[in-house]
Amino acid sequence: MRAGPVLAVVVAAGLVGLATLPARAAAQELPPDLPIGAARRATVKADAPATFPFEAPGAGLLTVVVQAEGEGDLVLFLCDDEGQPLPDLLDPDGQPFPGGRSDRDLLGARGTEALTLLLPAAGRYAAVVEVNGSAEARFVISGAFAPTPGLARPADPDGRPSGARALTVGGQAVSVEDAVSPREHDHRDWFALRCERAGTLRVVVRAAEGDLRLDAFAPGRLRAPLASSDDDELGVPGNESVSLAVQEGQVVLVRVAAVFAAAEKIPYRLLVAITP
């Protein structure tokens, strides 16, 4: 875990918008808060996910349930205030990724989803609802929060996009060394790659010990990666790579994450370059 300089464009584009709404916005334009201990009807459109902020007074367990009214196919996310889905530290297999996302079609119903996740500290979070396969869907959402101070976790600066370590990438390979340490609450590291040329961006991570995954995102679109790898290249759990086409000046956010929530420290090397 090592924080570095942050690209202003990443900070501006990466925020989910919960804390950056214009001060002049009318009250009816603000997203409704997540209903705790109650239910609320809402509508989600294919081009406009429904967002429900929640201000946590401290660490605790947040449960959110959504149920479509009709045939809508819903997807539920629990995110931090930058729009990054939270890691699922309660996963029984100890694998926290893809994290705070549910598209499991509970009880066989495509529109019924539920999540219970750990909120590691006081702060602003959000439930985000998307719809698949239709223009819009009506649904009911409800939440519950159980304060659990004993599960509080320290902040991890480069575990968030706004703390991403900035790297400038061109034709020459850039190599950096870092580590994740899940038992010390350092589950993921972010890097902001500014592309100096157009071409194919190649991102490679290598770790002799430990199991890693690699994800690449567009700034401000943290619920759906542009590319992902958990393929254990050459049979090595810490070896992953992704490739994607980029333009000059483009910024790509890259996340290196431990696959298991209780793993020991995992040193790794990240290598990035752009080929024609």
Side-chain angles (χ1 to χ4, degrees):
M1 176 180 71
R2 182 169 51 186
V6 181
L7 294 174
V9 65
V10 174
V11 177
L15 297 176
V16 71
L18 300 180
T20 58
L21 290 168
R24 64 181 180 276
Q28 63 267 26
E29 295 176 338
L30 298 175
D33 289 340
L34 177 68
I36 299 297
R40 173 180 290 139
R41 282 186 167 85
T43 300
V44 58
K45 297 184 178 181
D47 59 352
T51 300
F52 301 85
F54 173 66
E55 192 76 35
L61 301 182
L62 178 65
T63 296
V64 180
V65 181
V66 294
Q67 187 170 21
E69 295 184 323
E71 298 300 319
D73 183 6
L74 301 181
V75 184
L76 173 65
F77 298 84
L78 291 185
C79 303
D80 63 21
D81 62 342
E82 296 185 34
Q84 174 184 204
L86 296 166
D88 187 358
L89 303 179
L90 308 179
D91 182 281
D93 296 323
Q95 300 188 51
F97 296 96
R101 180 183 188 275
S102 178
D103 188 16
R104 293 174 288 183
D105 302 341
L106 297 182
L107 302 177
R110 295 188 305 158
T112 302
E113 305 294 341
L115 280 172
T116 297
L117 292 184
L118 170 64
L119 307 187
R124 205 163 210 215
Y125 301 86
V128 181
V129 182
E130 296 182 354
V131 61
N132 284 330
S134 55
E136 66 176 39
R138 292 188 57 80
F139 64 95
V140 176
I141 184 170
S142 60
F145 180 67
T148 320
L151 293 180
R153 295 294 183 266
D156 176 15
D158 64 350
R160 299 163 63 89
S162 61
R165 184 176 178 182
L167 301 174
T168 300
V169 188
Q172 291 283 90
V174 177
S175 175
V176 297
E177 295 186 359
D178 212 322
V180 290
S181 186
R183 289 197 176 185
E184 297 176 359
H185 319 303
D186 174 16
H187 296 275
R188 47 196 177 184
D189 293 341
W190 282 88
F191 298 86
L193 311 182
R194 179 182 287 278
C195 302
E196 286 191 317
R197 58 188 286 185
T200 299
L201 174 65
R202 173 81 168 169
V203 184
V204 177
V205 64
R206 293 290 183 257
E209 301 290 339
D211 196 353
L212 298 175
R213 66 170 287 138
L214 181 65
D215 299 281
F217 298 84
R221 301 185 63 182
L222 305 180
R223 297 192 303 275
L226 299 170
S228 296
S229 176
D230 188 14
D231 299 327
D232 302 344
E233 294 179 353
L234 302 175
V236 179
N239 287 358
E240 307 296 341
S241 66
V242 296
S243 298
L244 59 154
V246 294
Q247 300 300 316
E248 181 180 355
Q250 182 176 344
V251 173
V252 177
L253 291 172
V254 168
R255 183 178 66 194
V256 178
V259 169
F260 293 98
E264 300 285 354
K265 184 176 181 178
I266 306 173
Y268 64 86
R269 175 173 293 178
L270 182 75
L271 302 101
V272 294
I274 299 174
T275 57

